[in-house]
Structure formats: structure tokens, C-alpha cells
PDB file of all heavy atoms in Angstrom:
ATOM      1  N   SER N   1       1.315  -5.802   8.728  1.00  0.00           N
ATOM      2  CA  SER N   1       2.156  -6.605   7.899  1.00  0.00           C
ATOM      3  C   SER N   1       1.734  -6.510   6.422  1.00  0.00           C
ATOM      4  O   SER N   1       0.550  -6.554   6.123  1.00  0.00           O
ATOM      5  CB  SER N   1       2.068  -8.070   8.347  1.00  0.00           C
ATOM      6  OG  SER N   1       2.570  -8.237   9.640  1.00  0.00           O
ATOM      7  N   THR N   2       2.729  -6.334   5.553  1.00  0.00           N
ATOM      8  CA  THR N   2       2.441  -6.074   4.130  1.00  0.00           C
ATOM      9  C   THR N   2       3.017  -7.177   3.259  1.00  0.00           C
ATOM     10  O   THR N   2       3.946  -7.890   3.609  1.00  0.00           O
ATOM     11  CB  THR N   2       3.001  -4.742   3.700  1.00  0.00           C
ATOM     12  OG1 THR N   2       4.439  -4.715   3.928  1.00  0.00           O
ATOM     13  CG2 THR N   2       2.381  -3.584   4.467  1.00  0.00           C
ATOM     14  N   ASN N   3       2.405  -7.273   2.069  1.00  0.00           N
ATOM     15  CA  ASN N   3       2.868  -8.198   1.058  1.00  0.00           C
ATOM     16  C   ASN N   3       2.696  -7.522  -0.304  1.00  0.00           C
ATOM     17  O   ASN N   3       1.657  -6.884  -0.526  1.00  0.00           O
ATOM     18  CB  ASN N   3       2.028  -9.490   1.127  1.00  0.00           C
ATOM     19  CG  ASN N   3       2.462 -10.520   0.075  1.00  0.00           C
ATOM     20  OD1 ASN N   3       3.659 -10.773  -0.068  1.00  0.00           O
ATOM     21  ND2 ASN N   3       1.509 -11.036  -0.670  1.00  0.00           N
ATOM     22  N   TYR N   4       3.650  -7.674  -1.188  1.00  0.00           N
ATOM     23  CA  TYR N   4       3.592  -7.036  -2.488  1.00  0.00           C
ATOM     24  C   TYR N   4       3.889  -8.002  -3.606  1.00  0.00           C
ATOM     25  O   TYR N   4       4.687  -8.958  -3.450  1.00  0.00           O
ATOM     26  CB  TYR N   4       4.661  -5.896  -2.575  1.00  0.00           C
ATOM     27  CG  TYR N   4       4.413  -4.747  -1.665  1.00  0.00           C
ATOM     28  CD1 TYR N   4       4.996  -4.699  -0.397  1.00  0.00           C
ATOM     29  CD2 TYR N   4       3.620  -3.656  -2.036  1.00  0.00           C
ATOM     30  CE1 TYR N   4       4.812  -3.638   0.455  1.00  0.00           C
ATOM     31  CE2 TYR N   4       3.430  -2.594  -1.205  1.00  0.00           C
ATOM     32  CZ  TYR N   4       4.013  -2.581   0.043  1.00  0.00           C
ATOM     33  OH  TYR N   4       3.814  -1.514   0.877  1.00  0.00           O
ATOM     34  N   ALA N   5       3.244  -7.730  -4.753  1.00  0.00           N
ATOM     35  CA  ALA N   5       3.636  -8.436  -5.985  1.00  0.00           C
ATOM     36  C   ALA N   5       5.053  -8.017  -6.355  1.00  0.00           C
ATOM     37  O   ALA N   5       5.427  -6.840  -6.157  1.00  0.00           O
ATOM     38  CB  ALA N   5       2.669  -8.131  -7.070  1.00  0.00           C
ATOM     39  N   ASP N   6       5.816  -8.913  -6.936  1.00  0.00           N
ATOM     40  CA  ASP N   6       7.154  -8.587  -7.374  1.00  0.00           C
ATOM     41  C   ASP N   6       7.198  -7.404  -8.349  1.00  0.00           C
ATOM     42  O   ASP N   6       8.114  -6.589  -8.299  1.00  0.00           O
ATOM     43  CB  ASP N   6       7.812  -9.807  -8.000  1.00  0.00           C
ATOM     44  CG  ASP N   6       8.156 -10.889  -7.026  1.00  0.00           C
ATOM     45  OD1 ASP N   6       8.203 -10.629  -5.797  1.00  0.00           O
ATOM     46  OD2 ASP N   6       8.382 -12.034  -7.458  1.00  0.00           O
ATOM     47  N   SER N   7       6.176  -7.324  -9.154  1.00  0.00           N
ATOM     48  CA  SER N   7       6.128  -6.275 -10.199  1.00  0.00           C
ATOM     49  C   SER N   7       5.992  -4.874  -9.669  1.00  0.00           C
ATOM     50  O   SER N   7       6.264  -3.880 -10.369  1.00  0.00           O
ATOM     51  CB  SER N   7       5.001  -6.560 -11.176  1.00  0.00           C
ATOM     52  OG  SER N   7       3.749  -6.599 -10.522  1.00  0.00           O
ATOM     53  N   VAL N   8       5.520  -4.746  -8.405  1.00  0.00           N
ATOM     54  CA  VAL N   8       5.326  -3.397  -7.838  1.00  0.00           C
ATOM     55  C   VAL N   8       6.200  -3.092  -6.623  1.00  0.00           C
ATOM     56  O   VAL N   8       6.224  -1.971  -6.153  1.00  0.00           O
ATOM     57  CB  VAL N   8       3.824  -3.190  -7.478  1.00  0.00           C
ATOM     58  CG1 VAL N   8       2.938  -3.474  -8.624  1.00  0.00           C
ATOM     59  CG2 VAL N   8       3.434  -3.990  -6.239  1.00  0.00           C
ATOM     60  N   ARG N   9       6.859  -4.123  -6.120  1.00  0.00           N
ATOM     61  CA  ARG N   9       7.686  -3.924  -4.925  1.00  0.00           C
ATOM     62  C   ARG N   9       8.713  -2.858  -5.161  1.00  0.00           C
ATOM     63  O   ARG N   9       9.446  -2.855  -6.158  1.00  0.00           O
ATOM     64  CB  ARG N   9       8.324  -5.223  -4.475  1.00  0.00           C
ATOM     65  CG  ARG N   9       9.026  -5.148  -3.103  1.00  0.00           C
ATOM     66  CD  ARG N   9       9.522  -6.518  -2.683  1.00  0.00           C
ATOM     67  NE  ARG N   9       8.437  -7.413  -2.334  1.00  0.00           N
ATOM     68  CZ  ARG N   9       8.134  -8.516  -3.017  1.00  0.00           C
ATOM     69  NH1 ARG N   9       8.835  -8.824  -4.108  1.00  0.00           N
ATOM     70  NH2 ARG N   9       7.121  -9.268  -2.644  1.00  0.00           N
ATOM     71  N   GLY N  10       8.833  -1.928  -4.223  1.00  0.00           N
ATOM     72  CA  GLY N  10       9.788  -0.822  -4.366  1.00  0.00           C
ATOM     73  C   GLY N  10       9.189   0.400  -5.028  1.00  0.00           C
ATOM     74  O   GLY N  10       9.774   1.489  -4.955  1.00  0.00           O
ATOM     75  N   ARG N  11       8.052   0.252  -5.707  1.00  0.00           N
ATOM     76  CA  ARG N  11       7.392   1.386  -6.359  1.00  0.00           C
ATOM     77  C   ARG N  11       6.082   1.760  -5.698  1.00  0.00           C
ATOM     78  O   ARG N  11       5.710   2.911  -5.614  1.00  0.00           O
ATOM     79  CB  ARG N  11       7.115   1.091  -7.809  1.00  0.00           C
ATOM     80  CG  ARG N  11       8.385   0.778  -8.652  1.00  0.00           C
ATOM     81  CD  ARG N  11       8.040   0.680 -10.126  1.00  0.00           C
ATOM     82  NE  ARG N  11       7.168  -0.441 -10.424  1.00  0.00           N
ATOM     83  CZ  ARG N  11       5.964  -0.323 -11.022  1.00  0.00           C
ATOM     84  NH1 ARG N  11       5.530   0.875 -11.372  1.00  0.00           N
ATOM     85  NH2 ARG N  11       5.227  -1.397 -11.257  1.00  0.00           N
ATOM     86  N   PHE N  12       5.350   0.762  -5.196  1.00  0.00           N
ATOM     87  CA  PHE N  12       4.042   0.947  -4.557  1.00  0.00           C
ATOM     88  C   PHE N  12       4.179   0.749  -3.060  1.00  0.00           C
ATOM     89  O   PHE N  12       4.964  -0.085  -2.601  1.00  0.00           O
ATOM     90  CB  PHE N  12       3.018  -0.028  -5.089  1.00  0.00           C
ATOM     91  CG  PHE N  12       2.621   0.151  -6.554  1.00  0.00           C
ATOM     92  CD1 PHE N  12       3.286   1.061  -7.379  1.00  0.00           C
ATOM     93  CD2 PHE N  12       1.559  -0.533  -7.069  1.00  0.00           C
ATOM     94  CE1 PHE N  12       2.929   1.215  -8.688  1.00  0.00           C
ATOM     95  CE2 PHE N  12       1.173  -0.407  -8.418  1.00  0.00           C
ATOM     96  CZ  PHE N  12       1.868   0.490  -9.215  1.00  0.00           C
ATOM     97  N   THR N  13       3.386   1.487  -2.302  1.00  0.00           N
ATOM     98  CA  THR N  13       3.301   1.339  -0.853  1.00  0.00           C
ATOM     99  C   THR N  13       1.873   1.269  -0.406  1.00  0.00           C
ATOM    100  O   THR N  13       1.092   2.184  -0.721  1.00  0.00           O
ATOM    101  CB  THR N  13       4.000   2.500  -0.162  1.00  0.00           C
ATOM    102  OG1 THR N  13       5.381   2.593  -0.581  1.00  0.00           O
ATOM    103  CG2 THR N  13       4.007   2.292   1.351  1.00  0.00           C
ATOM    104  N   ILE N  14       1.551   0.206   0.294  1.00  0.00           N
ATOM    105  CA  ILE N  14       0.199   0.057   0.846  1.00  0.00           C
ATOM    106  C   ILE N  14       0.218   0.457   2.313  1.00  0.00           C
ATOM    107  O   ILE N  14       1.192   0.222   3.028  1.00  0.00           O
ATOM    108  CB  ILE N  14      -0.333  -1.372   0.699  1.00  0.00           C
ATOM    109  CG1 ILE N  14      -1.831  -1.455   1.054  1.00  0.00           C
ATOM    110  CG2 ILE N  14       0.491  -2.366   1.511  1.00  0.00           C
ATOM    111  CD1 ILE N  14      -2.459  -2.810   0.703  1.00  0.00           C
ATOM    112  N   SER N  15      -0.841   1.136   2.731  1.00  0.00           N
ATOM    113  CA  SER N  15      -0.964   1.537   4.156  1.00  0.00           C
ATOM    114  C   SER N  15      -2.466   1.547   4.518  1.00  0.00           C
ATOM    115  O   SER N  15      -3.309   1.488   3.631  1.00  0.00           O
ATOM    116  CB  SER N  15      -0.367   2.942   4.380  1.00  0.00           C
ATOM    117  OG  SER N  15      -1.028   3.907   3.589  1.00  0.00           O
ATOM    118  N   ARG N  16      -2.714   1.582   5.804  1.00  0.00           N
ATOM    119  CA  ARG N  16      -4.089   1.625   6.235  1.00  0.00           C
ATOM    120  C   ARG N  16      -4.256   2.477   7.479  1.00  0.00           C
ATOM    121  O   ARG N  16      -3.317   2.561   8.295  1.00  0.00           O
ATOM    122  CB  ARG N  16      -4.700   0.209   6.426  1.00  0.00           C
ATOM    123  CG  ARG N  16      -4.110  -0.557   7.573  1.00  0.00           C
ATOM    124  CD  ARG N  16      -4.588  -2.010   7.544  1.00  0.00           C
ATOM    125  NE  ARG N  16      -5.970  -2.152   7.953  1.00  0.00           N
ATOM    126  CZ  ARG N  16      -6.638  -3.315   7.951  1.00  0.00           C
ATOM    127  NH1 ARG N  16      -6.004  -4.414   7.529  1.00  0.00           N
ATOM    128  NH2 ARG N  16      -7.886  -3.371   8.323  1.00  0.00           N
ATOM    129  N   ASP N  17      -5.431   3.058   7.611  1.00  0.00           N
ATOM    130  CA  ASP N  17      -5.798   3.821   8.787  1.00  0.00           C
ATOM    131  C   ASP N  17      -6.958   3.075   9.414  1.00  0.00           C
ATOM    132  O   ASP N  17      -8.086   3.153   8.936  1.00  0.00           O
ATOM    133  CB  ASP N  17      -6.175   5.256   8.387  1.00  0.00           C
ATOM    134  CG  ASP N  17      -6.461   6.143   9.597  1.00  0.00           C
ATOM    135  OD1 ASP N  17      -6.914   5.615  10.645  1.00  0.00           O
ATOM    136  OD2 ASP N  17      -6.238   7.352   9.489  1.00  0.00           O
ATOM    137  N   ASN N  18      -6.681   2.303  10.466  1.00  0.00           N
ATOM    138  CA  ASN N  18      -7.726   1.479  11.099  1.00  0.00           C
ATOM    139  C   ASN N  18      -8.845   2.354  11.705  1.00  0.00           C
ATOM    140  O   ASN N  18      -9.990   1.936  11.722  1.00  0.00           O
ATOM    141  CB  ASN N  18      -7.110   0.611  12.128  1.00  0.00           C
ATOM    142  CG  ASN N  18      -6.250  -0.496  11.537  1.00  0.00           C
ATOM    143  OD1 ASN N  18      -6.479  -0.930  10.375  1.00  0.00           O
ATOM    144  ND2 ASN N  18      -5.216  -0.923  12.225  1.00  0.00           N
ATOM    145  N   ASP N  19      -8.511   3.524  12.165  1.00  0.00           N
ATOM    146  CA  ASP N  19      -9.538   4.403  12.756  1.00  0.00           C
ATOM    147  C   ASP N  19     -10.539   4.837  11.695  1.00  0.00           C
ATOM    148  O   ASP N  19     -11.724   5.015  11.973  1.00  0.00           O
ATOM    149  CB  ASP N  19      -8.885   5.619  13.428  1.00  0.00           C
ATOM    150  CG  ASP N  19      -8.144   5.274  14.678  1.00  0.00           C
ATOM    151  OD1 ASP N  19      -8.416   4.192  15.252  1.00  0.00           O
ATOM    152  OD2 ASP N  19      -7.210   6.035  15.076  1.00  0.00           O
ATOM    153  N   LYS N  20     -10.004   5.073  10.463  1.00  0.00           N
ATOM    154  CA  LYS N  20     -10.880   5.495   9.371  1.00  0.00           C
ATOM    155  C   LYS N  20     -11.379   4.339   8.552  1.00  0.00           C
ATOM    156  O   LYS N  20     -12.141   4.531   7.610  1.00  0.00           O
ATOM    157  CB  LYS N  20     -10.133   6.488   8.476  1.00  0.00           C
ATOM    158  CG  LYS N  20      -9.777   7.808   9.157  1.00  0.00           C
ATOM    159  CD  LYS N  20      -9.060   8.737   8.185  1.00  0.00           C
ATOM    160  CE  LYS N  20      -8.734  10.086   8.838  1.00  0.00           C
ATOM    161  NZ  LYS N  20      -8.025  11.012   7.896  1.00  0.00           N
ATOM    162  N   ASN N  21     -10.905   3.143   8.866  1.00  0.00           N
ATOM    163  CA  ASN N  21     -11.301   1.947   8.088  1.00  0.00           C
ATOM    164  C   ASN N  21     -11.004   2.128   6.599  1.00  0.00           C
ATOM    165  O   ASN N  21     -11.830   1.832   5.742  1.00  0.00           O
ATOM    166  CB  ASN N  21     -12.775   1.593   8.308  1.00  0.00           C
ATOM    167  CG  ASN N  21     -13.059   0.120   8.173  1.00  0.00           C
ATOM    168  OD1 ASN N  21     -12.130  -0.682   8.088  1.00  0.00           O
ATOM    169  ND2 ASN N  21     -14.334  -0.233   8.129  1.00  0.00           N
ATOM    170  N   THR N  22      -9.826   2.640   6.301  1.00  0.00           N
ATOM    171  CA  THR N  22      -9.412   2.991   4.959  1.00  0.00           C
ATOM    172  C   THR N  22      -8.057   2.447   4.654  1.00  0.00           C
ATOM    173  O   THR N  22      -7.187   2.446   5.505  1.00  0.00           O
ATOM    174  CB  THR N  22      -9.433   4.558   4.814  1.00  0.00           C
ATOM    175  OG1 THR N  22     -10.716   5.044   5.036  1.00  0.00           O
ATOM    176  CG2 THR N  22      -8.982   4.944   3.424  1.00  0.00           C
ATOM    177  N   VAL N  23      -7.895   1.966   3.442  1.00  0.00           N
ATOM    178  CA  VAL N  23      -6.604   1.474   2.969  1.00  0.00           C
ATOM    179  C   VAL N  23      -6.178   2.335   1.775  1.00  0.00           C
ATOM    180  O   VAL N  23      -7.022   2.802   0.998  1.00  0.00           O
ATOM    181  CB  VAL N  23      -6.685  -0.012   2.603  1.00  0.00           C
ATOM    182  CG1 VAL N  23      -7.618  -0.274   1.423  1.00  0.00           C
ATOM    183  CG2 VAL N  23      -5.304  -0.548   2.292  1.00  0.00           C
ATOM    184  N   TYR N  24      -4.862   2.559   1.640  1.00  0.00           N
ATOM    185  CA  TYR N  24      -4.318   3.413   0.625  1.00  0.00           C
ATOM    186  C   TYR N  24      -3.322   2.627  -0.212  1.00  0.00           C
ATOM    187  O   TYR N  24      -2.708   1.673   0.285  1.00  0.00           O
ATOM    188  CB  TYR N  24      -3.636   4.621   1.219  1.00  0.00           C
ATOM    189  CG  TYR N  24      -4.505   5.413   2.187  1.00  0.00           C
ATOM    190  CD1 TYR N  24      -4.461   5.183   3.568  1.00  0.00           C
ATOM    191  CD2 TYR N  24      -5.361   6.402   1.718  1.00  0.00           C
ATOM    192  CE1 TYR N  24      -5.250   5.926   4.410  1.00  0.00           C
ATOM    193  CE2 TYR N  24      -6.181   7.129   2.559  1.00  0.00           C
ATOM    194  CZ  TYR N  24      -6.126   6.901   3.910  1.00  0.00           C
ATOM    195  OH  TYR N  24      -6.915   7.602   4.767  1.00  0.00           O
ATOM    196  N   LEU N  25      -3.083   3.091  -1.416  1.00  0.00           N
ATOM    197  CA  LEU N  25      -2.020   2.545  -2.245  1.00  0.00           C
ATOM    198  C   LEU N  25      -1.326   3.716  -2.925  1.00  0.00           C
ATOM    199  O   LEU N  25      -1.904   4.380  -3.790  1.00  0.00           O
ATOM    200  CB  LEU N  25      -2.568   1.605  -3.329  1.00  0.00           C
ATOM    201  CG  LEU N  25      -1.492   0.900  -4.149  1.00  0.00           C
ATOM    202  CD1 LEU N  25      -0.743  -0.099  -3.274  1.00  0.00           C
ATOM    203  CD2 LEU N  25      -2.130   0.163  -5.339  1.00  0.00           C
ATOM    204  N   GLN N  26      -0.128   3.997  -2.478  1.00  0.00           N
ATOM    205  CA  GLN N  26       0.720   5.040  -3.074  1.00  0.00           C
ATOM    206  C   GLN N  26       1.482   4.393  -4.224  1.00  0.00           C
ATOM    207  O   GLN N  26       2.265   3.431  -3.986  1.00  0.00           O
ATOM    208  CB  GLN N  26       1.680   5.651  -2.055  1.00  0.00           C
ATOM    209  CG  GLN N  26       2.586   6.707  -2.652  1.00  0.00           C
ATOM    210  CD  GLN N  26       1.865   7.950  -3.131  1.00  0.00           C
ATOM    211  OE1 GLN N  26       0.960   8.439  -2.464  1.00  0.00           O
ATOM    212  NE2 GLN N  26       2.264   8.436  -4.302  1.00  0.00           N
ATOM    213  N   MET N  27       1.291   4.897  -5.435  1.00  0.00           N
ATOM    214  CA  MET N  27       1.920   4.320  -6.602  1.00  0.00           C
ATOM    215  C   MET N  27       2.865   5.315  -7.183  1.00  0.00           C
ATOM    216  O   MET N  27       2.438   6.413  -7.661  1.00  0.00           O
ATOM    217  CB  MET N  27       0.846   3.902  -7.604  1.00  0.00           C
ATOM    218  CG  MET N  27      -0.196   2.965  -7.053  1.00  0.00           C
ATOM    219  SD  MET N  27      -1.356   2.363  -8.296  1.00  0.00           S
ATOM    220  CE  MET N  27      -2.178   3.892  -8.760  1.00  0.00           C
ATOM    221  N   ASN N  28       4.137   5.007  -7.212  1.00  0.00           N
ATOM    222  CA  ASN N  28       5.189   5.856  -7.764  1.00  0.00           C
ATOM    223  C   ASN N  28       5.849   5.216  -8.948  1.00  0.00           C
ATOM    224  O   ASN N  28       5.730   3.995  -9.139  1.00  0.00           O
ATOM    225  CB  ASN N  28       6.240   6.211  -6.708  1.00  0.00           C
ATOM    226  CG  ASN N  28       5.644   6.950  -5.520  1.00  0.00           C
ATOM    227  OD1 ASN N  28       4.713   7.728  -5.657  1.00  0.00           O
ATOM    228  ND2 ASN N  28       6.250   6.714  -4.342  1.00  0.00           N
ATOM    229  N   SER N  29       6.548   5.982  -9.749  1.00  0.00           N
ATOM    230  CA  SER N  29       7.261   5.457 -10.907  1.00  0.00           C
ATOM    231  C   SER N  29       6.373   4.569 -11.754  1.00  0.00           C
ATOM    232  O   SER N  29       6.742   3.440 -12.145  1.00  0.00           O
ATOM    233  CB  SER N  29       8.495   4.671 -10.456  1.00  0.00           C
ATOM    234  OG  SER N  29       9.345   5.502  -9.688  1.00  0.00           O
TER     235      SER N  29
END
């Protein structure tokens, strides 16, 4: 489940790999 600040919604995407214990933030535009 994800939650975003209004200022980044639609441009940023958060994801995680639980096996690698890693979280990512893809930032576009």
C-alpha cells in the first residue's frame, strides 16, 4: 500500500523489494 504527497503524485513512484529489503523511488518529470 502506497501513499504520496500531493506535490509528487503522478510523477514519483515508490516500490519495494521485500526479498532485498530495499525501497526505491522513481522520480520523473
Side-chain angles (χ1 to χ4, degrees):
S1 296
T2 58
N3 180 48
Y4 293 93
D6 289 343
S7 59
V8 308
R9 188 174 291 113
R11 299 188 297 122
F12 292 8
T13 302
I14 189 170
S15 61
R16 68 189 287 177
D17 185 330
N18 291 330
D19 290 338
K20 295 182 178 179
N21 209 10
T22 298
V23 64
Y24 306 95
L25 186 69
Q26 178 66 43
M27 304 186 295
N28 298 328
S29 302

